[in-house]
Amino acid sequence: MKTIKAAVARQPGGPFRIEELIQDEPHFDEVRVRIVATGMCHTDMVARDQLYKVPLPIVLGHEGSGIVEQIGSNVKKVAVGDHVVLTYMWCGHCKPCLNGDLTYCEHFYALNFNGAREDGSTSTFTAGNTAEPIHDHFFGQSSFGTFALVHERNVIKVPNDAPLELLGPLGCGIQTGAGAVINALKVSPGSSFAAFGGGAVGLSAVMAARAAGATTIISVDVVPARLALAMELGATHTINSRETDPVEAVRQITGGGADFALESSGRPTVLRQAIDALAIRGTCGIVGAPALGTEASFDVNGVMTTGKRIIGIIEGDSKPDLFIPALVELYQQGRFPFDKLVKFYSLDQINQAAEDSEKGITIKPIIRLQ
Ligand SMILES: [Zn+2]
Ligand SMILES: [Zn+2]
């Protein structure tokens, strides 16, 4: 048993409370990771607010990075002292997993949102009252705490010379945007790409489009500061959609429409714009998550006669063991400067970090745990 400090969400929409908890010993296939830092992602807020159902009380956090502290008897993938990034969880034995489509695992929702291990057990308890279990294993990690107990599957080894406290967001938000561009849309050299939404995901997509060789890169948002940052990260054009019709503007800049578009705002009206702004044979990826059950519309003939494609994308279609180290290398070569999205907070400032993120003041908060 290990005493840890973690941020606990106890009521829907309520604040995170810093509490002392007791954490189990690792199972044979688990790894205890001393968390160095954890990014904060929109999905943490969505879970806290119960728009996606998770059981309460729970430790959230799903962009953790840290150092392997202890390993279970059967763990082969990492050793004590290794630097790691934690990512989402998949089962490894369903049909999509066997096909290599890990982000579409049949058990994705259960494994990432049930607040427990695959077998339904939890590993965290209130200190001094071990009769009160605290839900954990959010995205297989629950990393808003000083230690996390994680299955070896979603522990990804990274080089020791990379800045570990920066790397956690590669496990979710950053790989979502970058992977959408590189793995899912397969943005090609010389092509045009439009990112609808300039948050952490949209801006990661802009950086990845540049790394992939797109020569026209358009960022669409309503916040001037984000548009300015997009230019710094590799956008060739920006559109403030509060002032300008983005469909017309994208068509004008690209001479007919974008080859690729990505919708990350989660708004059906913006998705419609992203589809309408495509070129003939263009592809629009959907990564923005509206409330469950939300529907959107498009012009059926407009899509059919132009051969457009609309695809859903989870976690950037990332195979994390391959893709996260690739992103680290791009960062180290200066070709993927995602540190420009980041602001650091202490664990005690976690509610401030959430507020700054929701207000759009901070694009990617990272909570330092040590
Ligand atoms: Zn699976
Ligand atoms: Zn996330």
Side-chain angles (χ1 to χ4, degrees), residues 89-98 101-102 104-108 111 118 153:
M89 186 58 169
W90 66 96
C91 84
H93 50 72
C94 71
K95 195 171 167 188
C97 280
L98 293 174
D101 297 324
L102 312 180
Y104 307 99
C105 172
E106 285 174 9
H107 308 288
F108 191 92
L111 289 173
E118 207 166 352
R153 195 179 300 136

Side-chain angles (χ1 to χ4, degrees), residues 41-184:
C41 176
H42 183 62
T43 309
D44 292 307
M45 264 72 94
V46 167
R48 179 198 63 187
D49 300 343
Q50 296 284 290
L51 300 175
Y52 284 7
K53 293 285 173 210
V54 295
L56 301 175
I58 190 169
V59 178
L60 299 171
H62 66 287
E63 292 185 344
S65 64
I67 299 171
V68 175
E69 171 92 1
Q70 194 182 345
I71 58 173
S73 58
N74 208 31
V75 169
K76 303 279 192 302
K77 190 173 171 185
V78 290
V80 172
D82 280 353
H83 288 197
V84 294
V85 166
L86 310 182
T87 189
Y88 67 88
M89 186 58 169
W90 66 96
C91 84
H93 50 72
C94 71
K95 195 171 167 188
C97 280
L98 293 174
N99 268 326
D101 297 324
L102 312 180
T103 63
Y104 307 99
C105 172
E106 285 174 9
H107 308 288
F108 191 92
Y109 200 91
L111 289 173
N112 292 288
F113 292 95
N114 272 4
R117 291 185 178 98
E118 207 166 352
D119 67 6
S121 65
T122 58
S123 56
T124 317
F125 304 89
T126 300
N129 175 18
T130 48
E132 189 196 31
I134 303 292
H135 289 281
D136 55 18
H137 286 79
F138 181 64
F139 276 77
Q141 54 179 284
S142 290
S143 50
F144 284 156
T146 49
F147 291 88
L149 210 53
V150 191
H151 193 284
E152 70 170 330
R153 195 179 300 136
N154 61 319
V155 173
I156 313 299
K157 197 174 160 176
V158 291
N160 280 12
D161 62 353
L164 191 54
E165 65 175 12
L166 188 63
L167 303 184
L170 297 178
C172 184
I174 307 283
Q175 82 177 347
T176 292
V181 163
I182 293 170
N183 303 321

